[in-house]
Structure formats: structure tokens, C-alpha cells
Short mmCIF file of all heavy atoms in Angstrom, two decimals:
data_model
loop_
_atom_site.label_atom_id
_atom_site.label_comp_id
_atom_site.label_asym_id
_atom_site.label_seq_id
_atom_site.Cartn_x
_atom_site.Cartn_y
_atom_site.Cartn_z
N LEU A 1322 1.46 -5.11 8.68
CA LEU A 1322 1.17 -6.42 8.07
C LEU A 1322 1.29 -6.38 6.55
O LEU A 1322 0.74 -7.23 5.86
CB LEU A 1322 -0.21 -6.90 8.46
CG LEU A 1322 -0.35 -7.61 9.82
CD1 LEU A 1322 -0.21 -6.64 10.96
CD2 LEU A 1322 -1.69 -8.35 9.92
N GLY A 1323 2.01 -5.39 6.03
CA GLY A 1323 2.19 -5.31 4.59
C GLY A 1323 1.33 -4.23 3.95
O GLY A 1323 0.60 -3.50 4.64
N PRO A 1324 1.39 -4.11 2.62
CA PRO A 1324 0.65 -3.07 1.90
C PRO A 1324 -0.83 -3.04 2.25
O PRO A 1324 -1.51 -4.07 2.26
CB PRO A 1324 0.85 -3.46 0.43
CG PRO A 1324 2.14 -4.22 0.42
CD PRO A 1324 2.17 -4.97 1.71
N GLY A 1325 -1.30 -1.83 2.57
CA GLY A 1325 -2.70 -1.66 2.93
C GLY A 1325 -3.01 -1.97 4.38
O GLY A 1325 -4.14 -1.77 4.83
N HIS A 1326 -2.02 -2.49 5.11
CA HIS A 1326 -2.23 -2.87 6.52
C HIS A 1326 -1.00 -2.49 7.35
O HIS A 1326 -0.48 -3.29 8.10
CB HIS A 1326 -2.49 -4.37 6.63
CG HIS A 1326 -3.73 -4.83 5.90
ND1 HIS A 1326 -4.96 -4.90 6.48
CD2 HIS A 1326 -3.89 -5.21 4.60
CE1 HIS A 1326 -5.84 -5.33 5.59
NE2 HIS A 1326 -5.22 -5.53 4.45
N THR A 1327 -0.55 -1.26 7.19
CA THR A 1327 0.70 -0.83 7.82
C THR A 1327 0.52 -0.28 9.23
O THR A 1327 1.51 -0.02 9.91
CB THR A 1327 1.39 0.25 6.96
OG1 THR A 1327 0.49 1.36 6.80
CG2 THR A 1327 1.76 -0.32 5.60
N ALA A 1328 -0.71 -0.10 9.67
CA ALA A 1328 -0.94 0.49 11.00
C ALA A 1328 -2.08 -0.22 11.71
O ALA A 1328 -3.02 0.41 12.21
CB ALA A 1328 -1.21 1.98 10.89
N GLU A 1329 -2.03 -1.55 11.76
CA GLU A 1329 -3.05 -2.33 12.45
C GLU A 1329 -2.87 -2.21 13.97
O GLU A 1329 -1.75 -2.08 14.47
CB GLU A 1329 -2.98 -3.80 12.03
CG GLU A 1329 -3.19 -4.02 10.54
CD GLU A 1329 -4.56 -3.59 10.06
OE1 GLU A 1329 -5.55 -3.88 10.75
OE2 GLU A 1329 -4.64 -2.92 9.02
N THR A 1330 -3.97 -2.24 14.70
CA THR A 1330 -3.92 -2.11 16.15
C THR A 1330 -4.40 -3.38 16.84
O THR A 1330 -5.07 -4.22 16.24
CB THR A 1330 -4.79 -0.94 16.61
OG1 THR A 1330 -6.15 -1.14 16.17
CG2 THR A 1330 -4.27 0.38 16.03
N CYS A 1331 -4.04 -3.48 18.11
CA CYS A 1331 -4.41 -4.65 18.91
C CYS A 1331 -5.79 -4.44 19.51
O CYS A 1331 -6.13 -3.32 19.92
CB CYS A 1331 -3.37 -4.85 20.01
SG CYS A 1331 -3.50 -6.43 20.87
N PRO A 1332 -6.64 -5.45 19.58
CA PRO A 1332 -7.93 -5.31 20.22
C PRO A 1332 -7.81 -4.83 21.67
O PRO A 1332 -6.81 -5.10 22.34
CB PRO A 1332 -8.52 -6.73 20.16
CG PRO A 1332 -7.82 -7.37 19.00
CD PRO A 1332 -6.43 -6.80 19.01
N ASP A 1333 -8.81 -4.09 22.13
CA ASP A 1333 -8.79 -3.54 23.49
C ASP A 1333 -8.59 -4.64 24.53
O ASP A 1333 -9.20 -5.70 24.47
CB ASP A 1333 -10.09 -2.80 23.79
CG ASP A 1333 -10.22 -1.52 22.98
OD1 ASP A 1333 -9.17 -1.03 22.51
OD2 ASP A 1333 -11.35 -1.00 22.84
N GLY A 1334 -7.72 -4.33 25.50
CA GLY A 1334 -7.50 -5.25 26.61
C GLY A 1334 -6.63 -6.43 26.30
O GLY A 1334 -6.48 -7.33 27.13
N ARG A 1335 -6.00 -6.47 25.14
CA ARG A 1335 -5.17 -7.60 24.74
C ARG A 1335 -3.74 -7.15 24.51
O ARG A 1335 -3.45 -5.97 24.33
CB ARG A 1335 -5.70 -8.25 23.47
CG ARG A 1335 -7.19 -8.58 23.50
CD ARG A 1335 -7.48 -9.86 24.20
NE ARG A 1335 -8.91 -10.15 24.26
CZ ARG A 1335 -9.41 -11.36 24.44
NH1 ARG A 1335 -8.60 -12.40 24.58
NH2 ARG A 1335 -10.71 -11.55 24.50
N ARG A 1336 -2.84 -8.09 24.49
CA ARG A 1336 -1.49 -7.89 24.01
C ARG A 1336 -1.34 -8.66 22.72
O ARG A 1336 -1.88 -9.76 22.59
CB ARG A 1336 -0.46 -8.36 25.04
CG ARG A 1336 -0.43 -7.53 26.31
CD ARG A 1336 0.22 -6.18 26.09
NE ARG A 1336 0.14 -5.37 27.31
CZ ARG A 1336 1.00 -5.46 28.32
NH1 ARG A 1336 2.01 -6.32 28.25
NH2 ARG A 1336 0.85 -4.71 29.38
N CYS A 1337 -0.61 -8.11 21.76
CA CYS A 1337 -0.50 -8.73 20.45
C CYS A 1337 0.95 -9.07 20.10
O CYS A 1337 1.89 -8.45 20.60
CB CYS A 1337 -1.11 -7.83 19.38
SG CYS A 1337 -2.92 -7.80 19.39
N ILE A 1338 1.09 -10.04 19.22
CA ILE A 1338 2.38 -10.49 18.71
C ILE A 1338 2.27 -10.54 17.19
O ILE A 1338 1.32 -11.10 16.64
CB ILE A 1338 2.75 -11.88 19.26
CG1 ILE A 1338 2.86 -11.84 20.78
CG2 ILE A 1338 4.04 -12.38 18.64
CD1 ILE A 1338 2.94 -13.21 21.40
N LEU A 1339 3.24 -9.95 16.50
CA LEU A 1339 3.27 -9.97 15.05
C LEU A 1339 4.38 -10.89 14.57
O LEU A 1339 5.53 -10.79 15.01
CB LEU A 1339 3.50 -8.56 14.50
CG LEU A 1339 3.65 -8.45 12.98
CD1 LEU A 1339 2.37 -8.90 12.27
CD2 LEU A 1339 4.01 -7.02 12.58
N THR A 1340 4.06 -11.80 13.67
CA THR A 1340 5.07 -12.65 13.05
C THR A 1340 5.16 -12.34 11.57
O THR A 1340 4.14 -12.14 10.90
CB THR A 1340 4.73 -14.14 13.23
OG1 THR A 1340 3.51 -14.44 12.51
CG2 THR A 1340 4.53 -14.49 14.70
N ASN A 1341 6.38 -12.27 11.07
CA ASN A 1341 6.64 -12.05 9.64
C ASN A 1341 7.57 -13.15 9.16
O ASN A 1341 8.57 -13.46 9.81
CB ASN A 1341 7.28 -10.69 9.42
CG ASN A 1341 6.41 -9.54 9.92
OD1 ASN A 1341 5.34 -9.30 9.39
ND2 ASN A 1341 6.89 -8.84 10.94
N ASN A 1342 7.24 -13.73 8.01
CA ASN A 1342 8.05 -14.83 7.51
C ASN A 1342 7.99 -14.86 5.99
O ASN A 1342 6.98 -14.49 5.39
CB ASN A 1342 7.52 -16.16 8.07
CG ASN A 1342 8.47 -17.30 7.87
OD1 ASN A 1342 9.67 -17.10 7.77
ND2 ASN A 1342 7.96 -18.52 7.80
N THR A 1343 9.07 -15.26 5.36
CA THR A 1343 9.11 -15.41 3.91
C THR A 1343 9.44 -16.87 3.59
O THR A 1343 10.44 -17.40 4.08
CB THR A 1343 10.16 -14.49 3.27
OG1 THR A 1343 9.84 -13.12 3.57
CG2 THR A 1343 10.19 -14.66 1.76
N VAL A 1344 8.60 -17.49 2.77
CA VAL A 1344 8.75 -18.91 2.47
C VAL A 1344 8.92 -19.09 0.96
O VAL A 1344 8.09 -18.63 0.17
CB VAL A 1344 7.52 -19.72 2.95
CG1 VAL A 1344 7.77 -21.21 2.75
CG2 VAL A 1344 7.20 -19.41 4.40
N ARG A 1345 9.97 -19.76 0.58
CA ARG A 1345 10.20 -20.08 -0.83
C ARG A 1345 9.43 -21.35 -1.20
O ARG A 1345 9.45 -22.34 -0.45
CB ARG A 1345 11.69 -20.27 -1.08
CG ARG A 1345 12.07 -20.57 -2.53
CD ARG A 1345 13.58 -20.56 -2.69
NE ARG A 1345 14.04 -20.99 -3.99
CZ ARG A 1345 14.06 -20.23 -5.08
NH1 ARG A 1345 13.64 -18.98 -5.00
NH2 ARG A 1345 14.51 -20.71 -6.23
N LEU A 1346 8.75 -21.31 -2.32
CA LEU A 1346 8.02 -22.50 -2.81
C LEU A 1346 9.04 -23.39 -3.52
O LEU A 1346 9.29 -23.26 -4.72
CB LEU A 1346 6.90 -22.09 -3.74
CG LEU A 1346 5.89 -21.07 -3.19
CD1 LEU A 1346 4.75 -20.87 -4.17
CD2 LEU A 1346 5.35 -21.50 -1.83
N ILE A 1347 9.61 -24.30 -2.77
CA ILE A 1347 10.73 -25.09 -3.25
C ILE A 1347 10.40 -25.86 -4.52
O ILE A 1347 11.18 -25.89 -5.48
CB ILE A 1347 11.22 -26.04 -2.15
CG1 ILE A 1347 11.66 -25.24 -0.92
CG2 ILE A 1347 12.34 -26.93 -2.65
CD1 ILE A 1347 11.98 -26.10 0.28
N ASN A 1348 9.25 -26.51 -4.54
CA ASN A 1348 8.90 -27.35 -5.68
C ASN A 1348 8.66 -26.54 -6.94
O ASN A 1348 9.00 -26.97 -8.04
CB ASN A 1348 7.65 -28.18 -5.34
CG ASN A 1348 7.89 -29.17 -4.23
OD1 ASN A 1348 8.55 -30.17 -4.42
ND2 ASN A 1348 7.39 -28.86 -3.04
N VAL A 1349 8.05 -25.37 -6.80
CA VAL A 1349 7.76 -24.53 -7.96
C VAL A 1349 9.00 -23.83 -8.45
O VAL A 1349 9.35 -23.88 -9.64
CB VAL A 1349 6.65 -23.52 -7.59
CG1 VAL A 1349 6.33 -22.66 -8.81
CG2 VAL A 1349 5.39 -24.23 -7.10
N ALA A 1350 9.70 -23.15 -7.54
CA ALA A 1350 10.87 -22.37 -7.93
C ALA A 1350 12.01 -23.27 -8.40
O ALA A 1350 12.74 -22.92 -9.34
CB ALA A 1350 11.33 -21.51 -6.77
N GLY A 1351 12.16 -24.44 -7.76
CA GLY A 1351 13.25 -25.34 -8.11
C GLY A 1351 13.19 -25.82 -9.54
O GLY A 1351 14.23 -26.07 -10.16
#
């Protein structure tokens, strides 16, 4: 999950899904 969180685990008895996304701040950057 990024710096400081590179080896996170799933809670016992669950299945996990990781999403990663990069979003540009259109109004600020533009």
C-alpha cells in the first residue's frame, strides 16, 4: 500500500482485494 505499508496482510478468515490508482488534480495542475 505504499511507503511504510509494503507488507500488509488480510484479516483472518477473509479474502482481500487491493486497488491502486493515480489521480491528477485537473483544476490545480491545469
Side-chain angles (χ1 to χ4, degrees):
L1322 277 72
H1326 298 269
T1327 58
E1329 300 297 317
T1330 58
C1331 192
D1333 290 341
R1335 309 279 178 158
R1336 293 286 176 84
C1337 285
I1338 298 168
L1339 176 63
T1340 65
N1341 300 295
N1342 194 27
T1343 300
V1344 186
R1345 181 173 173 80
L1346 306 186
I1347 299 172
N1348 295 286
V1349 181

